[in-house]
Amino acid sequence: MTSPLRIGVLGLGTVGAALVQSLKSNADGIATRAGRAISVTAVSARDRSRDRGIDLSSLKWFDNPVALAQSSEIDCLVELIGGADGVAKAAVEAALKSGKHVVTANKALLAKHGSALVALAEKNNVALNFEASVAGGIPIVKTLRESLAGNHVSRVSGILNGTCNYILSRMELEGLTFEDCLKDAQRLGYAEADPTFDVGGFDTAHKLSLLTSLAFGTEIDSEAVYVEGIASIKPLDLVMADELGYRIKLLGVAERTATGIEQRVHPTMVPKHWAIAQVMGVTNAVNVIGDVVGELTLVGPGAGGNATASSVLSDLVDIARGIHVPPLGVPSSALTQTDKAPMQRHEGGYYIRLTVRDRPGAAAGIATRMAEQSISLESIVQKRPQASRAADPAGKSGNPVPVVLITYATSEAAIRRALDAVGADGHIAEDPQLIRIER
Ligand code: HSE
């Protein structure tokens, strides 16, 4: 057996600790499969004294992450501290320039600097592997980069953030508040250090930008992703979705359209009978459509220490085996610019929840504004509380009541124009809730 692959682990949080633990407990099997052992020789983290439940006594400790990255005692840096810039970027760049392979779970770093880092890795003839950065334990990076390399992919979409799916699932099934569910997600180690990245949709957008590049051979362009998060979703939206036969999921979608590649992240109504609607809790799912393979869906744990460590292990075994492919599937010099499709041109069905001032002519006025934009309504439901019915039997009070519209397929631009006009007419008391429908 050849000499071990010596790795330096930067960051000993939930994932780092799980990685060190699993490298130890699965050492024999990993060495047999990889043809050589993979050993952690050095580590660096913020707090040396913290008890992580793992024995670090035989490992060299670096206070300076960049010194770890450049150390002659490692062949490969595993970066698990996160963050788009700062220490993570400095350490990854230092490792690549020093001829070390890099494995990272850092989607924020790659979404912002991925194209440059990939070029740097290629220039130095080292690997830059990032399976753990998208969808936790699901091997979607390898699937797109290697298994589907002979396909033209037309669409990749999915539930890419465990925290949001966990929150939406528990809000729906247990009637809990958004805040309580978020606290639990943080306690369980699913959420990012700043959970705004999760609930604001940015974590999904970072991951989607990597999948887009892998699927379409384009430069990573996270700025081109349209992003909406889940913070505006109210319990009533989940109740209405259920009544209408849908579930609400935060989806990331990258798709070739007639106007270019659409990259969008937003809460989405998906029909309950779809496979992706069955994906609950912290589980992620990624659906790919390729011209040769057809449609496939991968489902698995999207966050958490062990799931993410499993993907890091896969990258490490590839490096130990000497498998070396372009990080984005095509050489960085062959990546093309993203041909961006503007969100205003997006076409689909819409769920619109309006807080309507309940008085004669309100519904007709709203329907007129929709008709002016050639928007066809599939259904319209007014949810009037019992108490308001008793207080205002003739329905003339102007008290706010929720009204839900479902449209047939139309364009984002038409919906925006219609809602601007409805707002200007004074029919609504709050900003509309808009949720796109996939069907
Ligand atoms: N915060 C992320 C999530 C962790 O909730 O999915 C995995 O990237």
Side-chain angles (χ1 to χ4, degrees), residues 335-404:
L335 293 170
T336 57
Q337 292 290 321
T338 319
D339 185 11
K340 299 169 199 168
M343 195 60 193
Q344 291 292 316
R345 305 279 288 271
H346 171 71
E347 303 243 338
Y350 288 79
Y351 161 101
I352 303 163
R353 177 172 52 76
L354 301 171
T355 305
V356 175
R357 297 184 208 282
D358 196 7
R359 59 193 172 204
I366 292 164
T368 300
R369 293 303 192 186
M370 296 287 157
E372 283 169 1
Q373 298 300 329
S374 303
I375 297 168
S376 186
L377 296 176
E378 186 181 299
S379 73
I380 177 162
V381 181
Q382 178 163 321
K383 284 279 176 190
R384 192 170 183 233
Q386 200 64 42
S388 133
R389 195 167 295 149
D392 176 26
K396 293 184 178 171
S397 66
N399 287 338
V401 289
V403 171
V404 169

Side-chain angles (χ1 to χ4, degrees), residues 2-65:
T2 46
S3 55
L5 178 75
R6 301 166 307 155
I7 67 167
V9 179
L10 174 53
L12 286 171
T14 322
V15 180
L19 175 69
V20 173
Q21 184 57 48
S22 48
L23 274 169
K24 194 171 167 194
S25 55
N26 290 0
D28 290 347
I30 289 170
T32 307
R33 288 193 170 90
R36 60 199 283 213
I38 298 176
S39 30
V40 183
T41 52
V43 290
S44 177
R46 259 202 303 251
D47 179 1
R48 190 167 186 168
S49 59
R50 202 176 118 207
D51 180 11
R52 299 170 169 88
I54 47 175
D55 179 14
L56 302 174
S57 57
S58 62
L59 309 180
K60 181 154 182 183
W61 182 278
F62 283 82
D63 287 322
N64 178 352

Side-chain angles (χ1 to χ4, degrees), residues 2-3 19 58 60 77 92 100 107 117 128 144 161 171 191 197 248 268 284 295 302 313 331 335 343 364 366 410:
T2 46
S3 55
L19 175 69
S58 62
K60 181 154 182 183
L77 176 74
V92 167
K100 321 277 184 204
K107 54 264 165 168
L117 292 172
L128 172 56
L144 285 168
N161 184 271
M171 283 177 73
F197 274 88
I248 300 175
T268 310
N284 281 193
E295 182 170 353
L313 287 172
L335 293 170
M343 195 60 193
I366 292 164
T410 181

Side-chain angles (χ1 to χ4, degrees), residues 107 160-163 190-192 198 203 207 302-303:
K107 54 264 165 168
L160 301 174
N161 184 271
T163 300
Y190 303 151
E192 298 301 305
D198 297 295
D203 178 75
K207 293 165 178 169

Side-chain angles (χ1 to χ4, degrees), residues 219-255:
E219 298 265 1
I220 299 165
D221 186 2
S222 56
E223 297 286 309
V225 184
Y226 174 85
V227 189
E228 278 176 24
I230 64 166
S232 72
I233 301 294
K234 296 281 183 292
L236 179 60
D237 297 317
L238 292 158
V239 170
M240 290 305 302
D242 184 51
E243 284 181 18
L244 293 160
Y246 295 98
R247 281 216 159 105
I248 300 175
K249 298 290 179 192
L250 184 76
L251 285 196
V253 181
E255 187 168 22

